[in-house]
Amino acid sequence: MSSFTPVFQGAYKGNTYSAYVQDVMQFAPKWKFMAGLRYDRMSADYTNNQYVTYNRTDKEFSSRFGLMYTPSEAGMVYAAYSTGFNPSAELYQLDPRGTNTPPEKTRNIELGTKWNLLDNRVAVRASLSRSEKTNERNTDLAEPDVYLLSGKRHTDALELEVNGRLTDKWDIYANYAHMRAKIDRAAGSSVDNVGKTPANTPKNTFSVWTTYKVTPDLKLGLGLEGVGSRYTSDANTTKIAGYQRVDAMVEYNFNQNLTAKLNVFNLLNKRYYEGIYRGHVVPGTDRAAQLMLSMKF
């Protein structure tokens, strides 16, 4: 008789405590100012499969500010600024270097506008933004006990969004983003990546989902999602092609209490990759169907 001995793969425990305060102040008939402050305390313990335990505790403040101008009840223009951080202990990434490395810092600047059109049936939004990581973790073989917080990268983005009901029967949800990302500064073994595009950052992404009521009880839906090509690493040596995926939906109301909905994901059975990494990729789902029955009592 054979026996099975469990193998210890490691253990992770993390605790996060947060507190924040935020206020919106109107200082003129069409002007508002928003300010917020947040405090986070994150502690983590990770034990690897060799029973070596690493610990890290981070205490950080982050802030957000916004200025809003509303020329009419239908729309507004805004400018926003926010900061954040990326602790070394997140996502089970504790290791000897991460234990001794403070969080990375980030900041985001955004200028945008939002409007409600067609008697508030349709909402549109457009924005320009820059996201910066100001002290990115880099690796230096000469410093085996700590990461170098000497890197910097940024992403400039244009985003467009339309959501709402075009007619009594036709709904649409659409968004598009164009991003230009760049590694600005690096050190150690990452210095050759300066000027290149960060990994897993497509220039273009979009999604469109629309539904139409053929009859009062029958609704059809069709969607298209697209992601541009992406590099698998910051070295930009390997690129994965972009993809477009089609989804569909049929919904039928038998009565006020019983509804059936059939969702078909990846209708055309397109092969694509959702996750990309230096040494492997994670395929997206093959064609799949999901049937749901909803009953109200």
Side-chain angles (χ1 to χ4, degrees):
M1 180 182 294
S2 62
S3 61
F4 173 74
T5 302
V7 178
F8 179 70
Q9 297 294 328
Y12 176 92
K13 180 181 180 180
N15 292 293
T16 301
Y17 302 95
S18 304
Y20 72 93
V21 59
Q22 180 173 295
D23 192 23
V24 178
M25 299 157 280
Q26 182 165 343
F27 61 90
K30 296 183 179 181
W31 291 88
K32 294 181 180 179
F33 177 74
M34 181 272 292
L37 183 66
R38 179 184 174 110
Y39 173 79
D40 289 276
R41 182 188 185 278
M42 179 179 182
S43 62
D45 299 282
Y46 172 65
T47 303
N48 64 18
N49 57 6
Q50 301 299 315
Y51 294 93
V52 179
T53 299
Y54 303 105
N55 314 98
R56 173 100 196 148
T57 298
D58 290 307
K59 305 172 184 179
E60 294 290 334
F61 284 96
S62 53
S63 59
R64 58 184 308 192
F65 302 95
L67 183 64
M68 294 161 280
Y69 173 66
T70 53
S72 72
E73 294 183 357
M76 64 176 293
V77 180
Y78 66 91
Y81 174 85
S82 62
T83 62
F85 67 97
N86 182 22
S88 301
E90 71 167 1
L91 298 179
Y92 316 103
Q93 292 179 345
L94 268 183
D95 57 15
R97 290 188 177 189
T99 301
N100 299 322
T101 305
E104 297 174 309
K105 299 296 180 65
T106 60
R107 63 188 179 194
N108 183 74
I109 304 170
E110 183 174 334
L111 177 65
T113 183
K114 300 178 181 179
W115 292 85
N116 294 322
L117 307 175
L118 302 179
D119 295 327
N120 293 324
R121 296 200 314 268
V122 176
V124 297
R125 183 182 71 88
S127 68
L128 293 170
S129 65
R130 166 167 284 209
S131 297
E132 295 180 344
K133 185 176 290 187
T134 56
N135 59 341
E136 180 187 34
R137 285 189 288 265
N138 284 173
T139 300
D140 189 348
L141 297 179
E143 297 286 344
D145 298 326
V146 65
Y147 288 105
L148 297 177
L149 292 179
S150 56
K152 181 181 179 181
R153 65 178 61 186
H154 76 271
T155 301
D156 295 324
L158 164 67
E159 294 183 76
L160 304 173
E161 187 177 295
V162 178
N163 295 309
R165 178 159 294 178
L166 300 179
T167 70
D168 292 340
K169 299 180 180 180
W170 185 16
D171 292 347
I172 189 169
Y173 310 89
N175 61 75
Y176 166 77
H178 177 74
M179 297 182 292
R180 290 188 176 273
K182 182 180 178 181
I183 299 172
D184 301 304
R185 187 175 65 238
S189 60
S190 303
V191 69
D192 293 336
N193 297 333
V194 173
K196 297 181 179 180
T197 301
N200 201 24
T201 308
K203 281 189 176 180
N204 299 287
T205 61
F206 70 89
S207 66
V208 180
W209 176 257
T210 184
T211 62
Y212 189 82
K213 278 191 174 183
V214 180
T215 70
D217 296 319
L218 177 62
K219 180 190 291 187
L220 302 180
L222 190 66
L224 177 64
E225 177 183 325
V227 176
S229 59
R230 296 160 288 169
Y231 288 106
T232 61
S233 71
D234 292 347
N236 290 182
T237 54
T238 303
K239 180 183 284 189
I240 300 297
Y243 68 86
Q244 297 81 42
R245 190 189 80 184
V246 178
D247 300 326
M249 182 270 292
V250 178
E251 180 181 295
Y252 188 79
N253 296 318
F254 294 97
N255 51 53
Q256 293 182 347
N257 299 321
L258 182 62
T259 301
K261 180 188 290 187
L262 175 65
N263 287 294
V264 181
F265 307 102
N266 195 6
L267 179 66
L268 303 181
N269 205 26
K270 176 94 172 185
R271 172 169 289 184
Y272 66 98
Y273 303 109
E274 277 190 343
I276 59 172
Y277 303 90
R278 293 182 182 180
H280 68 283
V281 294
V282 178
T285 181
D286 293 332
R287 183 190 295 121
Q290 181 185 65
L291 178 63
M292 294 183 294
L293 292 174
S294 301
M295 181 176 292
K296 298 179 181 179
F297 297 94

